[in-house]
Amino acid sequence: MNGPVSFETHGEIGVIRVDNPPVNATSQAVRAGLIAAADAFAASDAKVAVIVAEGRTFIAGADITEFGKPPMEPHLPDVIHHIEALKKPVVCVIHGTALGGGFEVALGSHYRVMVKGAKIGLPEVNLGLIPGAGGTQRLPRLIGMIPACEIFTSSRQVGADECVKLGIADAVSTEAPFEAGMSFARKVLAEGLGVRRVSEMTVPAYAAADLEALKAKVARANKGHVCHLKGIDVAVEGTKLPFSEGMKMERAAFWELMQTPQRAAMIHAFFSERKVASLPELKGVSPRPLGHVGVIGGGTMGGGIAVACLLNGLKVTLIERDAEAVERAHTGIARMLADSVKRGKLGADARDALLAEKLVTTSDYPSLAAADLIIEAVFESMDVKKDVFTKLDAIARPGAILASNTSYLDVDEIAACTKRPQDVIGLHFFSPAHVMRLLEIVVAGKTAPDVVATGFALAKALKKVPVRAGVCDGFIGNRILKTYRTAADIMVLEGASPFQVDKALEEFGFAMGPYAVADLAGIDIGYLTRQRLAPTRKPGERFGEWGDVLYEMGRLGRKSGHGHYIYDETSPKGRPDPEVEEIIARERKAKGITPRAFSDAEIVERYMAAMINEGAKVVGEGIALRPLDVDVTKLMGYGFPRFRGGPMHYADHIGLAKVLGTIEDAHKAGDDIFAPAPLLQKLVAEGRSFDSLNKE
Ligand code: 3HC
Ligand code: NAI
């Protein structure tokens, strides 16, 4: 047999081998190969078969690149049925991860052996889907309705030991995959074990109240998504029917979801998150060494960056201003590592070793002389940053990379104060830096290609998603943020209430609206930003000033119990404060604005148009390479709802002409932020989408 699946016999044991790099996805060729191999096994003298995969992982699921195209036979559920229906036992060996359709192949086998460290999962909900090859019908029969629904609605990966406890795996093996399969097959032969079809099992009884509790939890955690509850319905209703009817129900729901914009959005997100790291400019460029990282400033960001590095095997030297600040930074880092221990992500011994052997905290700059990469995370002030970079220039070894975590400042200007601008780059982490997965890699005019490559290598080492950005005020993420936040403030000035804006955007899918976020971050942050921008603000520029009043009243947001919302025992998550509306009404009056009503739809439309239009400017100016880089930035760093795929994908979905129309209407009042992006105008004129640029 040629192709990605082969069959061979070893005495009485048949071996079905899947070899379809990189992740053994069940492409059409794999599906056809599995049928042929199953037939070859049936026709052979072998008494038991082992399914084993080559390479780093067992089958990682259906081939996602086939989604959205016409389906090709044989379909995966039929392939799995074909395997399960065999009259001789089949053992499946799982190594790496058996995900989605891969785990469903395992569920159709009669026995499952997991190699130590292997995991299973049904992550289809991450793609806006439900399991579509028997996952919703076989897993509840095997382990019970509630644990099964929990697994496929959470998409979590379940380790080998838990799989044995749940009854998913028959054994865990410390052998290599092939040997593990052969050993179990010999046991099957020795004990005369026969076929054992999950489809013939019945779902164990469960309490209706437990199901309702799970549904409520799933609905809360996945607001706006359509697939999760659909999956539970199909599992519950389908398993009341004969197996083949349940499978039809699952298939119908799977195909229905396959046609939804949510599925297209989430698959766009999946591939975009991977494409951001593939840059033509990095082809053939090797990164510089990266073992010892220096961090300057041990506050919110510096502490988090240090922890991210420590947790991923890098040595850290952190510099603070004086002994007291050094002590504070050390305590902060120890606290974050203790949290990791509490959450089971790190052993207590490993934590102690990190603190003792991998971390140095000091106020002595020359301790950085041997560092490969030094990341500055001091106050957001050009003067302070220049002072730090001048010091670094004097002590860092030749070839060391000097990076700034600045949120807005000009990296070219920072680089210019050193004698080595080719070694200077922006590495913009997000708070909390050891948790948030986005890393904006800000490439300045003179940054050397291997310095950029090292930025990407750092992201990989820290398990973060890197997005390349050019230099401008706020780079990709914060520049766009500034625009749509101002758009929201202008709508409030024109008559919407902050509470209505938040509600409309939360219904759209954001976890929190901008004013709830402002309360969480602290009203003082917005106040300080307005102070910073005041000297360069253009005359006549409209912006909201009620935040300054709140600040002066000491209403700093959640931390003081009052901001836009009131936070107390009766409403820990906040309730609207009518006094805020009075403060805003006074500001409108002073500015001569007659308020008008906004519908929720208009709020979303204008907020999104502002975001998309600025995104188009960012792409048009080359600050972001492609629209997908904007999407990943907003998805990973700014809570953009994943089921909408990112602002640029969403723009394609609603139509660019409509977005341009909204922007042109908003621009009539003369606000610069609404000036139409030339790229948006060009694409509309040419009848093209943002996605067409992703493919160039
Ligand atoms: N189909 C097609 N390509 C896939 C794929 C899949 N299911 N899973 C991964 N790939 C590709 C990636 O795009 C990437 O391609 P690239 O090198 O060209 O960028 C390559 O394989 C390697 O992937 P990663 O970089 O993600 O490798 P990792 O080792 O970090 O992770 C993984 C491996 C855990 C398997 C991860 O890729 C993953 O989570 N994949 C998705 C798994 C999934 O969602 N499966 C369910 C699919 S839906 C389904 O099965 C429906 C069924 O119920 C009918
Ligand atoms: P912070 O105020 O919490 O910490 C700054 C730390 O730098 C303080 O501990 C201070 O003692 C120290 N410091 C100041 N000057 C120093 C010097 N010369 N040498 C050594 N240490 C010095 O500030 P935060 O929030 O950590 O921000 C740091 C940088 O990161 C800023 O540029 C900010 O814009 C950026 N940033 C902040 C984010 C956030 O959410 N807080 C997100 C992303 C970037």
Side-chain angles (χ1 to χ4, degrees), residues 36-382:
D39 289 344
F41 165 54
S44 75
D45 292 335
K47 297 205 167 108
V48 54
V50 172
I51 303 181
V52 63
E54 293 292 313
R56 66 195 212 230
T57 180
F58 188 69
I59 301 168
D63 186 341
I64 302 172
T65 59
E66 289 181 359
F67 288 3
K69 299 178 189 160
M72 284 179 295
E73 290 189 334
H75 303 305
L76 191 57
D78 301 333
V79 174
I80 294 172
H81 176 70
H82 200 76
I83 293 169
E84 192 187 45
L86 285 165
K87 302 209 165 52
K88 298 185 279 188
V90 177
V91 177
C92 186
V93 189
I94 297 170
H95 76 288
T97 41
L99 299 178
F103 179 44
E104 289 169 308
V105 168
L107 286 171
S109 305
H110 306 124
Y111 297 94
R112 284 157 293 278
V113 183
M114 291 177 76
V115 170
K116 210 162 179 53
K119 291 177 180 159
I120 63 93
L122 291 169
E124 287 85 346
V125 289
N126 292 340
L127 305 173
L129 293 168
I130 60 169
T136 67
Q137 302 301 299
R138 284 196 179 86
L139 195 56
R141 285 179 159 84
L142 187 63
I143 64 169
M145 186 59 72
I146 307 296
C149 290
E150 188 276 325
I151 286 175
F152 70 70
T153 52
S154 68
S155 78
R156 76 183 172 98
Q157 294 188 0
V158 187
D161 292 336
E162 189 182 348
C163 281
V164 171
K165 271 194 214 130
L166 285 169
I168 290 172
D170 298 289
V172 180
S173 170
T174 51
E175 291 179 290
F178 176 76
E179 283 73 26
M182 294 302 279
S183 300
F184 199 88
R186 280 193 287 274
K187 176 181 149 86
V188 168
L189 291 173
E191 295 178 15
L193 302 176
V195 298
R196 192 187 55 174
R197 300 187 182 103
V198 176
S199 64
E200 291 169 0
M201 300 175 182
T202 46
V203 179
Y206 59 91
D210 290 347
L211 182 70
E212 287 315 309
L214 178 71
K215 274 181 162 174
K217 190 172 151 206
V218 167
R220 262 197 317 276
N222 301 286
K223 235 174 58 189
H225 288 258
V226 289
C227 57
H228 300 73
L229 291 178
K230 185 85 186 169
I232 296 184
D233 272 358
V234 166
V236 170
E237 297 308 319
T239 52
K240 288 178 186 162
L241 305 172
F243 182 76
S244 61
E245 293 300 309
M247 284 299 291
K248 278 188 201 147
M249 187 184 269
E250 180 193 81
R251 204 65 193 155
F254 181 80
W255 283 112
E256 193 184 300
L257 290 165
M258 190 64 95
Q259 314 311 319
T260 60
Q262 293 201 354
R263 191 277 305 163
M266 292 178 84
I267 285 181
H268 168 75
F270 178 88
F271 283 118
S272 297
E273 264 168 44
R274 286 159 176 79
K275 272 193 205 142
V276 284
S278 89
L279 299 188
E281 74 191 86
L282 296 186
K283 287 242 156 63
V285 180
S286 302
R288 295 186 188 177
L290 190 60
H292 180 183
V293 176
V295 179
I296 322 264
T300 309
M301 295 308 292
I305 293 168
V307 169
C309 292
L310 290 169
L311 288 176
N312 290 288
L314 301 173
K315 198 172 141 192
V316 174
T317 301
L318 184 139
I319 306 287
E320 257 293 351
R321 289 184 292 177
D322 49 40
E324 200 183 309
V326 167
E327 179 61 32
R328 213 173 26 243
H330 194 277
T331 309
I333 291 171
R335 197 181 317 116
M336 283 184 259
L337 290 176
D339 277 351
S340 296
V341 173
K342 224 186 279 166
R343 277 185 279 115
K345 301 216 155 153
L346 183 72
D349 291 351
R351 182 264 320 266
D352 294 346
L354 287 181
L355 287 171
E357 294 156 26
K358 296 275 190 179
L359 173 69
V360 173
T361 46
T362 171
S363 57
D364 176 45
Y365 269 77
S367 322
L368 293 174
D372 301 314
L373 160 70
I374 304 173
I375 306 170
E376 163 280 307
V378 302
F379 303 133
E380 185 76 343
S381 142
M382 186 53 96

Side-chain angles (χ1 to χ4, degrees), residues 296-302 319-321 325 328 365 376-380 384-385 387-388 391 405-408 428-431:
I296 322 264
T300 309
M301 295 308 292
I319 306 287
E320 257 293 351
R321 289 184 292 177
R328 213 173 26 243
Y365 269 77
E376 163 280 307
V378 302
F379 303 133
E380 185 76 343
V384 181
K385 306 250 187 223
D387 180 47
V388 168
K391 280 191 192 137
N405 182 49
T406 178
S407 306
Y408 286 96
H428 183 217
F429 289 78
F430 288 73
S431 179

Side-chain angles (χ1 to χ4, degrees), residues 42 222 237 447 479 527 635:
N222 301 286
E237 297 308 319
T447 310
R479 170 168 160 182
Y527 172 81
L635 287 167

